[in-house]
């Protein structure tokens, strides 16, 4: 179902926007985005839109997912920490790229619903946990990549510590209304920061994020 619409989405938005990473393009041709949104929103699932997923949260635009996935510069055998499982779409795209994903979500009911979906679709390389992602997930650290899919007032210290040497982290940082995507690379104890375009994400709520 929706195969034609999915291919069109990739051509019309993802490729048109300048995404060139073939692994990202192939993954987005595969992941059934309509199953990651509410049933009433399915007909809009292959437009370049963020959509409500319940609990006051949203699934990111397909082009945002494509862009963040490309910025991670994956070869396919990395271990990734994702903060903000949400609908699970971003994690599924990464899983299709062959990496191992550890994903944290603070809203328990949303996390459980998404875990069920991963089970149904057979995404067994995604590990999930309910908790405050601003503190990371120490049990599996360090991570080759860290992707934060909610907006933070600044870069959580704990996450920097859990990034592997030569690792790379993508995080939207700024005000609640608007943020800049930051690309952080680690070189032993030195961290280099690059800024990408302005974006709009839902807030990262937690000890090292925004307070509720
Ligand atoms: N990656 C998701 C994006 C969901 S929106 C997708 O593809 O659909 C961001 C998610 O981050 C929301 O579900 C929100 O509840 C979650 N979130 C916000 N603060 C968090 C925190 N401190 N720890 C874990 N998850 C958090």
């Amino acid at each position: 179902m929706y195969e034609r619409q999915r291919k069109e989405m990739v051509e019309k938005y993802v490729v048109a926007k300048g995404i060139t990473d073939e692994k990202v393009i192939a993954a987005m041709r595969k992941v059934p985005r309509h199953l990651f949104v509410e049933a009433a929103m399915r007909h809009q699932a292959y437009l370049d839109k963020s959509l409500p997923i319940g609990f006051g949260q949203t699934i990111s635009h397909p082009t945002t997912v494509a862009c963040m996935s490309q910025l991670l510069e994956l070869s396919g055998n990395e271990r990734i920490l994702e903060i903000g499982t949400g609908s699970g779409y971003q994690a599924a795209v990464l899983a299709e790229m062959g990496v191992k994903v550890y994903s944290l979500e603070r809203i328990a009911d949303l996390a459980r619903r998404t875990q069920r979906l991963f089970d149904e679709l057979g995404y067994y390389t995604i590990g999930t946990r309910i908790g405050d992602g601003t503190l990371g997930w120490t049990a599996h650290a360090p991570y080759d990549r860290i992707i934060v899919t909610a907006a933070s007032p600044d870069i959580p210290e704990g996450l920097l510590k859990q990034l592997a040497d030569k690792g790379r982290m993508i995080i939207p940082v700024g005000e609640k209304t608007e943020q800049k995507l930051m690309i952080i690379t680690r070189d032993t104890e030195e961290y280099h920061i690059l800024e990408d375009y302005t974006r709009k994400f839902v807030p990262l709520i937690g000890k090292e994020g925004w307070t509720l």
Side-chain angles (χ1 to χ4, degrees):
M1 260 234 297
Y2 288 105
E3 198 133 334
R4 187 178 53 81
Q5 286 92 327
R6 189 156 56 245
K7 293 224 163 86
E8 259 176 40
M9 172 192 84
V10 173
E11 293 312 313
K12 228 167 113 184
Y13 307 120
V14 175
V15 174
K17 193 119 193 197
I19 298 297
T20 51
D21 186 329
E22 285 300 333
K23 284 191 299 304
V24 175
I25 294 169
M28 292 189 70
R29 283 202 182 114
K30 276 199 202 143
V31 181
R33 190 169 187 261
H34 63 283
L35 299 180
F36 291 80
V37 303
E38 289 176 345
M41 298 285 163
R42 280 196 185 148
H43 63 290
Q44 296 193 58
Y46 295 105
L47 301 176
D48 193 20
K49 276 181 137 187
S50 66
L51 295 167
I53 55 171
F55 308 94
Q57 305 304 321
T58 54
I59 179 173
S60 307
H61 287 70
T63 49
T64 301
V65 171
C67 181
M68 289 180 89
S69 305
Q70 175 162 286
L71 285 172
L72 286 173
E73 296 188 355
L74 297 171
S75 63
N77 44 29
E78 292 86 355
R79 296 164 69 256
I80 304 191
L81 175 67
E82 180 192 31
I83 314 300
T85 317
S87 70
Y89 179 70
Q90 171 74 71
V93 167
L94 295 174
E96 286 288 358
M97 292 171 74
V99 299
K100 168 92 185 120
V101 186
Y102 296 91
S103 188
L104 286 166
E105 171 57 54
R106 60 175 285 276
I107 301 174
D109 287 344
L110 176 57
R112 283 191 206 104
R113 188 185 80 192
T114 300
Q115 178 61 59
R116 272 200 302 277
L117 183 64
F118 288 153
D119 291 343
E120 274 166 38
L121 298 177
Y123 285 116
Y124 304 122
T125 54
I126 305 171
T128 61
R129 210 188 73 170
I130 299 161
D132 178 5
T134 65
L135 305 173
W137 188 346
T138 45
H140 303 287
Y143 301 94
D144 304 306
R145 303 286 187 270
I146 299 180
I147 175 171
V148 183
T149 68
S152 188
D154 36 45
I155 303 165
E157 195 69 30
L159 293 185
L160 289 177
K161 291 207 184 89
Q162 293 180 27
L163 186 64
D165 188 25
K166 311 288 178 238
R168 205 171 159 81
M169 168 162 140
I170 316 289
I171 177 170
V173 179
E175 300 304 314
K176 271 191 181 164
T177 46
E178 202 178 78
Q179 312 87 29
K180 284 229 169 7
L181 257 191
M182 306 250 174
I183 304 141
I184 300 149
T185 45
R186 178 171 187 175
D187 192 357
T188 56
E189 288 318 305
E190 259 183 66
Y191 293 87
H192 302 277
I193 303 180
L194 250 165
E195 272 183 24
D196 196 69
Y197 305 102
T198 301
R199 309 278 164 148
K200 167 117 188 61
F201 285 83
V202 297
L204 180 75
I205 296 161
K207 206 152 181 259
E208 291 198 43
W210 295 100
T211 44
L212 199 57

